Amino acid sequence: MSTILHSIFSVQKGKCRFNLKLSIITLVAFVVLSVTQFGMAAEVRNIILLIGDGMSTNQLESARIVKGAPLIVDALPVRHRAFNASADNAVTDSAAAATALATGERTNNGMIAVSPEGRNLRTVLQVAKDVGKRTGVVTTDAIHGATPGAFLANTASRSSSTIITEQAVFVSQPDVLLGGGMTAFNEIGALERLGSTDYTFVQTREQLLAWQPDGKPLLGLFATGAFAFAVERRATEPHLAEMVQVALNALANDDAGFFLMVESARIDSAGHSNLIRQSVYETLAFEEAIQVALEFAEKNPDTLVIITADHETGGLMAVPDASPQVMSKGVDVVTREIVTALNANPQADLRSLFAQYAGISHVESQAIQGTVSEFVSGVLSTRSFYYTTGGHTDLPVHVFAQGPEAEQLLSVNHLTDIGKLLHKWVQEGNGGHRP
Ligand SMILES: [Zn+2]
């Protein structure tokens, strides 16, 4: 009897040891794998969060087609999706989605970093500032736009442009604040009161590019409201990538690190107006800004770069055999080119004109109904992504990341989960400068 008991005990003890050994091996293997896949584990000292407003799968895909190559984000180690419903609507707006990212909490559409009941929610930028990090906001929207607003202010309505501007410039006061919004800025007499702050103020691209970091905070406002589309850029407005470069120059080299939010705002505007060409070039301008952020991270490996969005705009639909020429120039422009060529030489072969101006080698022969121009435009339209709404949709958005702790983003399900991680990181990775 005792022999039997003894042998059972030995077997169980042996199994127990075996399992423990197996667990240790698994743990070591996991750590080794994680370190090799995502780079050396380091503290999250700097965070660059880049938001493509209105950007989801087909905004990215159309930019990829026109670029004719994979996008930079396609090569990042973390590629994931996140849902974005707000507290009161399956289809979020930028205010509720940015609140989710900035605070980790769901709120109603239209609300800026307050709960549905109107309670102020601390934003990751405000917390970063509290723990002694530097902070920055860069946008091609007005600084009081819903996305930057949800990082810089707390108010029940996204349309309170003067309240958001007041809180941004005189309360939250990030070390770098670049965007548009001069009208609201003037409405509160902010220019006259700027002397009460340490801000250096610039208003043109030239002034921005000439600015040298001097340890003082920088405020740049380059448009009355939002910036023009990148394809129609005004000479006084800097490129998004240029603003990101200046912001990084200003925020770098601080032991406590920084939190920087960058918004490419006008992918959303292009979606609302159903302008595929503008959408493509806004997304490619965003890509240039992402490149600047990743180059900084390469030299500063304790930098976590996250690229995501708030929601999709326009219900953009893909088509097979999309033409890069048609999407980059627009159906109207290519139609004009083909019709002009045909008018100049009525004997020209229409098929070869489609090939020459639109890269289209296959056109189904069909009876021409309406004018030649209508026929050409009809054919070209079938080779371009098209919009199905002027509003937002409930599609999930992408989450790309690189840097320390980036793999934690693979577990997020909703934008609020990203917000919660951001709060954890700014509080943990404060470089030991907790006040
Ligand atoms: Zn929108």
Side-chain angles (χ1 to χ4, degrees):
M1 182 65 175
S2 71
T3 327
I4 294 169
L5 267 179
H6 178 75
S7 59
I8 289 172
F9 179 66
S10 322
V11 167
Q12 283 179 338
K13 218 166 74 176
K15 197 169 136 199
C16 193
R17 271 207 200 111
F18 176 72
N19 281 347
L20 184 67
K21 229 186 252 173
L22 196 69
S23 310
I24 291 170
I25 292 167
T26 312
L27 186 71
V28 169
F30 177 74
V31 170
V32 169
L33 266 176
S34 304
V35 168
T36 44
Q37 189 179 359
F38 299 105
M40 281 304 289
E43 184 188 62
V44 181
R45 194 161 67 103
N46 309 316
I47 298 175
I48 309 173
L49 173 67
L50 300 110
I51 301 172
D53 201 308
M55 182 188 82
S56 191
T57 306
N58 284 338
Q59 282 77 15
L60 289 164
E61 179 61 10
S62 51
R64 206 175 274 125
I65 287 171
V66 170
K67 185 185 177 188
L71 298 173
I72 292 167
V73 291
D74 296 329
L76 295 188
V78 167
R79 300 188 297 281
H80 189 55
R81 305 272 173 104
F83 290 99
N84 49 8
S86 67
D88 68 341
N89 203 315
V91 180
T92 189
D93 76 336
S94 295
T99 297
L101 288 166
T103 73
E105 304 283 338
R106 282 199 205 199
T107 195
N108 294 342
N109 284 3
M111 296 182 120
I112 300 289
V114 295
S115 71
E117 300 76 34
R119 180 172 42 89
N120 283 1
L121 303 168
R122 294 298 284 167
T123 78
V124 60
L125 185 138
Q126 292 162 342
V127 173
K129 198 174 158 142
D130 286 350
V131 301
K133 283 180 177 292
R134 290 190 177 196
T135 55
V137 166
V138 168
T139 179
T140 50
D141 195 359
I143 55 167
H144 58 72
T147 305
F151 288 82
L152 293 163
N154 310 88
T155 179
S157 171
R158 61 181 288 169
S159 54
S160 307
S161 56
T162 52
I163 291 173
I164 298 170
T165 304
E166 177 74 30
Q167 290 186 33
V169 178
F170 297 103
V171 183
S172 290
Q173 291 192 325
D175 297 284
V176 183
L177 180 53
L178 304 174
M182 268 308 288
T183 302
F185 185 76
N186 287 333
E187 274 170 32
I188 57 168
L191 190 58
E192 295 74 32
R193 295 191 283 131
L194 214 52
S196 69
T197 72
D198 291 332
Y199 276 123
T200 300
F201 185 49
V202 294
Q203 278 185 277
T204 64
R205 174 176 182 245
E206 207 177 334
Q207 289 170 356
L208 180 76
L209 298 181
W211 179 80
Q212 294 295 324
D214 55 3
K216 282 171 50 175
L218 176 67
L219 172 66
L221 297 179
F222 310 99
T224 52
F227 281 32
F229 285 120
V231 289
E232 296 146 9
R233 195 177 57 78
R234 294 182 274 254
T236 52
E237 291 175 7
H239 296 245
L240 182 61
E242 291 170 346
M243 292 197 287
V244 173
Q245 187 62 67
V246 170
L248 291 172
N249 292 347
L251 296 171
N253 304 322
D254 189 281
D255 288 346
F258 64 80
F259 171 80
L260 171 64
M261 192 288 285
V262 176
E263 182 200 20
S264 177
R266 309 228 55 211
I267 302 168
D268 176 63
S269 327
H272 283 298
S273 302
N274 289 186
L275 299 167
I276 183 65
R277 172 171 180 260
Q278 281 80 350
S279 173
V280 162
Y281 285 103
E282 289 304 309
T283 309
L284 291 175
F286 188 39
E287 163 125 323
E288 289 171 17
I290 293 166
Q291 177 72 42
V292 171
L294 290 172
E295 280 166 11
F296 177 88
E298 208 164 285
K299 293 182 215 123
N300 301 271
D302 44 10
T303 304
L304 173 61
V305 179
I306 304 166
I307 299 108
T308 188
D310 45 3
H311 52 73
E312 195 269 351
T313 307
L316 187 60
M317 303 296 275
V319 296
D321 304 324
S323 156
Q325 290 97 316
V326 175
M327 299 222 287
S328 64
K329 289 192 279 191
V331 171
D332 291 354
V333 169
V334 182
T335 300
R336 256 196 319 275
E337 287 174 351
I338 293 177
V339 172
T340 304
L342 201 57
N343 286 342
N345 176 15
Q347 306 306 316
D349 176 20
L350 194 51
R351 246 179 289 253
S352 64
L353 293 179
F354 273 115
Q356 184 183 343
Y357 290 99
I360 296 173
S361 51
H362 257 337
V363 181
E364 305 270 321
S365 57
Q366 50 188 282
I368 295 180
Q369 288 178 340
T371 64
V372 174
S373 173
E374 280 164 358
F375 170 76
V376 171
S377 147
V379 170
L380 296 180
S381 298
T382 65
R383 303 303 183 97
S384 178
F385 284 23
Y386 63 98
Y387 292 95
T388 53
T389 171
H392 299 168
T393 66
D394 64 356
L395 286 172
V397 293
H398 293 253
V399 183
F400 305 99
Q402 177 178 295
E405 308 270 313
E407 72 280 6
Q408 288 204 37
L409 287 157
L410 288 169
S411 67
V412 304
N413 181 53
H414 187 273
L415 294 180
T416 49
D417 301 324
I418 302 175
K420 288 190 175 79
L421 282 171
L422 291 172
H423 276 254
K424 182 170 88 89
W425 286 322
V426 295
Q427 281 165 314
E428 280 175 358
N430 62 4
H433 282 235
R434 198 181 294 270

